[in-house]
Every structure is written in structure tokens, then in C-alpha cells.
Amino acid sequence: MGEKPDFGVELNATNFDSVLKDTPAPYAIVEFFAHWCPACRNYKPQYEKVARLFNGADASHPGIILMTRVDCALTINSNLCDKFSVRHYPMLLWGPPRKFVGSGWDPKQENDEIRSIENGRTADILLGWINKQLESSYGFGDGKYENEHLQRNSSDPAQIARAIYDVEEATSTAFGIILDLKMIKSVTRASLIKFLQLLVAHHPSKRCRKGSADILVDFDNLCPSKILSANNEEADSCSKKGALGNYQICGEEVPRGYWMYCRGSKNDTRGFSCGLWVLLHSLSVRVEDGESNLAFRTTCDFMHNFFICEECRQHFYDMCSSVSNPFKKARDFALWLWSVHNKVNERLMKDEASLGTGDPEFPKVIWPPKQLCPSCYLNQGKTSNENSKIDWNEDEVFKFLVSYYGKELVNLYKDKEMKAGGGTEKAVNEELVASTNAVVVPLGAALGIAVASCGFGALACFWRSQQKNRKPRRS
């Protein structure tokens, strides 16, 4: 019989900052301990009992608290434990995850957002302390997550910041579906390559850009066209069973198994479809004018070849086919995708109303609602559900799309961090530059773009020529 899994995430000096920086959870607990300490060994089951509520795929309350552990008895962690003034074991610290990054803790400091949990010696006491801080009522009898913590206020622009995690989740889920169903064939291979190129250049998540680039760099070796051509069908080497299945497009932490911005009030609503729409919108506002038509064709081909909801796929393909003139401006592509999404919502409004299949907490609406963008409406007297009667100010709509799916999307902690000073804003601006300008795509991303063509970044051609003898990465 195997050992019980640990739910407290083990951290050390090499991954401490990166894990805490990347977590979507608004709070973190760090336990500092020593593996030789008898009290620490006895306390671990107590800590794990609480961690199981918040960490892991079967968590009752995922995305709320990241519970971690650091072994101060390991030499590698000596300086880290000194920075956080660890003087006894076990010691628990609580605070916003990013407050732990690149910093330390001094018990003499006042009004610091990192706080010591002075009394958490049993699971019951620790959970009671947490409930008091969050004004919650979590209990050890809580079942697996059932969408009880909803972001109900869709009119709050800060909510889109949580969607960066759902975009990563949707990207990983889509890639997993493609591999699971062996959807890479001779007729679809080029479509996937082009979409991966688009992700490398313009995905809002840095780690998804890197993961897409890693796949593209080795794609010819992982999924050779000659195998697909010979079989004229799917090849195991291009599926989850082959080497391609060892690649994680957004890193080891994704998928997490739950949604944040796209969380529905029921498990069969929102989720992946919402995340995929946010991904497409985030791509549309990042492409340059010269890329707009290629991005349009790439998006249409990807949805046609790899979206497995047949009715939805056909509707999307029909709307793509209705476009007669090539897009010359990025603005035109972004507005086309926006109008398509509203047409889909308008159709689903009627279907869900007649069949009773909608999410009662998140009914379909025409986007954006007036609460988010009053200037988008020229005829202010009409409701946002009367799409056919809305006189849109498309210049204002485009500005809204760029802001909402651009800056707001990557500004992960705007509502909590901006008050701390300019550091977060600087980091957000750097991330925006990296995700909107193909010219400054990192080396790995440039290589990825170059694998099949140079459609999304001219510099890729140069890197392709410089790295053409690069050996494939072994999985």
C-alpha cells in the first residue's frame, strides 16, 4: 500500500519565490520546520489535515490558501530560514503569497502583511484561526470543491485579473484534449503548428509562451509529417502515448483542476468554454496590424480542426467563412471576434431559456455590459441584451477590449498590490511588453515561432538560421 500523498507543498530556496509568485491563491501559509524535530514530525499530520482542504486536485476549497512547508534543517534553506527569523520549530507564517517573494520577515515590524500564527498546534486550532481571518466556516467534513465561492460581480473589472489562471487552464486542457483524442493528423498538423506559433508570440502567460515554444522547437522530431502522411491517420507518436505527451504546455503546475474567473455555479457550466473565449480575446488584442489576417485564419482553422463540440464548431466555421475580405488591422480582428462572441451568446440565450440549461448565476449577456463600458453604447437607453438594437461605439469597444483582455488580464494582483508602490506596476508593464511585441520574444519563443514559418515574428527567421543544428530535447 503506497504512502499517503503530502498536501503541503514542499518548498526550498530554489523554488520558494517562483511557486509563491505564481500561485493564484490570495493567501499562503508557510510552515518552517526541521525534519529531525520530533515535535515537527508529530505536527505534520495536523498540518496535512488542514492542507488537504486547500491544496490538490481533490481539495474542498481550492485557490484560497496555498499551504507550504520549508525544511530549515537542509543546508540549502539556511539563508531562507534566517531571512524569515525562524527561531523555533515548527513556525507558521501567514500572508499574501507575493509578500513572501524576495523578502523576509521580522517579528519586530509593525503592520506587516506577513503575520505569525502563534497558536496553530492542532488541526482544529489552525483551521479555526483561518476561519477567523477569512470570516469563513470551513470544516473537515467539507466535500470536494462544488463551486461554492463564486465571483458573482461580473461588472467588477478587477475580476479579469483572475482569468490569467483560467487562460492557462484552458490552454493546457485544449492541448490535453488534442493528445487524448489523437487529433493530430496529416490534414490538421499545419493548423496546430500555426496556432502554437500564435501562442508563442502572444499568449498572455509567460510560462505558456515558453511551453509552446518548447513543443514547437522539437515538433518535427516529436510528430514527423512523414509518419502522418504514411498512415494518413493519427500516429501514437503524436498523441499522449508518445513523446509529445511528456510536454506540459503551461508548466508542471497546470492544469490545476479548477477554475477561478470562469467558475460556474454548477460543475457543468462555464469552465473550459469560458477560458477558451478569454484566451482567444487575449490573443486578438495582442497581434499587430500585419499579423491580423494570419491570426484570424489561424484561429478559425484551429477551432475548425480541434474544437470537439460539433455544433459549436460548425457555427464558428460558418462565421469565419462569412468574412470575404482579409483583415488589414488588428482592430478589425479583435472587433470581429467580439461580435462573433456576442452572436454566440445571443443564440445560447434563447437555447438556454427554452431548455433551462443555463447557469442561473451567470446568464449569457451581450458583452460588454454597460456597467463595464458605458461609453461603448451610443444609445444609452437600450439594455445590453438587445444586441440587434444596440448602436455600438466600436472605437470605445476596441479600447475596452484592449484594456480588459490586455493590461487588466495580466495585472494579476491589481486589487491587492497597487497600494504597495510602483513595483507591481513595473512588473505588469514588463509582462505586457513581453506578451504584445513579437520583436522582443525570448530566444526559446523565437525558435518556436520559426519551426514552420515566420508568420508571427520576423526575428524568428534569424534564430532559425542560427539554431538549425540544435539537437532535440530529450524527454
Side-chain angles (χ1 to χ4, degrees):
M1 191 171 179
E3 294 184 2
K4 293 182 179 180
D6 287 343
F7 296 97
V9 179
E10 296 281 349
L11 301 181
N12 58 51
T14 64
N15 66 0
F16 185 85
D17 283 356
S18 61
V19 171
L20 287 165
K21 180 181 178 181
D22 288 341
T23 179
Y27 302 101
I29 295 177
V30 182
E31 178 201 1
F32 295 95
F33 72 102
H35 62 263
W36 50 257
C37 166
C40 296
R41 290 197 296 269
N42 292 335
Y43 179 64
K44 184 178 179 181
Q46 302 292 322
Y47 190 76
E48 285 291 308
K49 186 176 180 180
V50 179
R52 185 173 184 174
L53 291 174
F54 303 103
N55 292 3
D58 294 327
S60 302
H61 311 284
I64 305 298
I65 304 171
L66 177 69
M67 298 190 63
T68 67
R69 309 175 80 235
V70 174
D71 187 352
C72 293
L74 301 179
T75 303
I76 190 176
N77 295 328
S78 295
N79 290 336
L80 177 63
C81 294
D82 285 343
K83 284 171 59 179
F84 286 93
S85 305
V86 179
R87 299 293 181 265
H88 62 85
Y89 305 126
M91 187 179 92
L92 304 181
L93 293 182
W94 160 281
R98 289 176 70 92
K99 289 297 180 180
F100 289 92
V101 176
S103 64
W105 177 76
D106 184 344
K108 297 178 182 179
Q109 291 177 339
E110 295 182 0
N111 299 323
D112 196 290
E113 291 190 62
I114 297 177
R115 299 166 53 196
S116 174
I117 302 177
E118 299 296 340
N119 188 357
R121 67 185 65 186
T122 69
D124 289 324
I125 294 174
L126 178 56
L127 185 58
W129 189 94
I130 291 171
N131 281 330
K132 184 176 180 180
Q133 307 310 305
L134 303 182
E135 298 181 352
S136 54
S137 56
Y138 302 138
F140 295 114
D142 296 348
K144 185 177 178 181
Y145 154 72
E146 292 291 344
N147 300 341
E148 78 281 24
H149 293 288
L150 300 175
Q151 299 302 318
R152 299 176 186 274
N153 188 1
S154 62
S155 298
D156 181 0
Q159 295 301 339
I160 191 65
R162 299 168 69 86
I164 187 69
Y165 306 107
D166 291 356
V167 170
E168 292 178 333
E169 194 81 6
T171 304
S172 181
T173 300
F175 187 61
I177 290 172
I178 290 170
L179 297 185
D180 285 339
L181 300 184
K182 298 182 179 181
M183 301 178 75
I184 306 175
K185 304 179 182 181
S186 57
V187 294
T188 63
R189 184 178 184 273
S191 172
L192 178 60
I193 289 174
K194 289 180 181 179
F195 192 73
L196 288 171
Q197 291 172 342
L198 182 59
L199 298 186
V200 169
H202 298 301
H203 199 290
S205 165
K206 186 180 297 182
R207 56 183 163 192
C208 293
R209 294 197 298 273
K210 181 183 182 302
S212 300
D214 289 342
I215 294 170
L216 275 174
V217 168
D218 294 341
F219 199 83
D220 285 338
N221 297 306
L222 297 168
C223 188
S225 57
K226 59 183 180 181
I227 291 180
L228 293 174
S229 299
N231 296 342
N232 198 31
E233 285 294 338
E234 70 275 359
D236 280 346
S237 63
C238 303
S239 72
K240 204 163 191 175
K241 294 181 180 179
L244 195 57
N246 295 326
Y247 284 69
Q248 293 164 305
I249 195 168
C250 291
E252 294 181 358
E253 300 86 357
V254 183
R256 304 172 189 87
Y258 59 90
W259 304 91
M260 297 188 72
Y261 173 84
C262 288
R263 187 178 300 180
S265 65
K266 299 187 292 184
N267 284 335
D268 59 351
T269 59
R270 305 190 82 213
F272 176 59
S273 60
C274 167
L276 188 60
W277 272 116
V278 178
L279 170 62
L280 296 181
H281 285 299
S282 70
L283 295 172
S284 75
V285 300
R286 285 169 166 79
V287 300
E288 303 291 340
D289 287 346
E291 305 169 315
S292 57
N293 201 62
L294 181 57
F296 161 69
R297 294 299 343 157
T298 297
T299 300
C300 288
D301 289 345
F302 177 80
M303 295 295 288
H304 181 60
N305 289 314
F306 298 110
F307 195 62
I308 58 175
C309 172
E310 178 61 27
E311 182 179 352
C312 305
R313 183 192 67 82
Q314 189 58 50
H315 277 294
F316 198 92
Y317 180 74
D318 290 343
M319 289 184 287
C320 288
S321 301
S322 67
V323 177
S324 55
N325 297 318
F327 292 124
K328 296 181 180 179
K329 297 287 186 181
R331 173 186 183 276
D332 298 334
F333 173 45
L335 288 175
W336 174 84
L337 187 67
W338 159 75
S339 67
V340 162
H341 195 172
N342 273 339
K343 289 177 182 177
V344 170
N345 279 354
E346 190 174 27
R347 175 174 59 83
L348 292 179
M349 279 182 209
K350 299 174 182 178
D351 293 344
E352 292 177 356
S354 61
L355 299 173
T357 55
D359 190 323
E361 298 290 342
F362 297 94
K364 292 290 187 295
V365 297
I366 299 304
W367 192 257
K370 288 182 181 177
Q371 299 97 313
L372 279 181
C373 186
S375 62
C376 292
Y377 292 76
L378 290 176
N379 52 339
Q380 297 295 321
K382 300 298 181 181
T383 66
S384 60
N385 288 334
E386 299 177 69
N387 188 38
S388 60
K389 301 179 181 179
I390 295 175
D391 188 7
W392 294 101
N393 184 333
E394 292 192 347
D395 288 336
E396 291 299 311
V397 170
F398 180 60
K399 289 179 184 178
F400 167 81
L401 295 174
V402 170
S403 174
Y404 195 75
Y405 294 106
K407 183 176 180 180
E408 297 291 345
L409 180 65
V410 299
N411 193 348
L412 307 187
Y413 294 89
K414 177 182 178 183
D415 52 342
K416 300 190 296 291
E417 292 290 324
M418 291 305 289
K419 60 184 179 182
T424 300
E425 187 172 10
K426 180 176 183 291
V428 169
N429 290 336
E430 290 173 353
E431 175 69 5
L432 272 172
V433 169
S435 65
T436 56
N437 191 341
V439 175
V440 295
V441 170
L443 170 59
L447 281 169
I449 299 168
V451 168
S453 72
C454 300
F456 294 106
L459 271 185
C461 297
F462 170 76
W463 293 121
R464 174 72 165 174
S465 66
Q466 294 296 306
Q467 299 289 333
K468 62 183 179 181
N469 294 322
R470 179 182 183 275
K471 294 181 179 180
R473 184 181 73 177
R474 293 184 180 182
S475 57

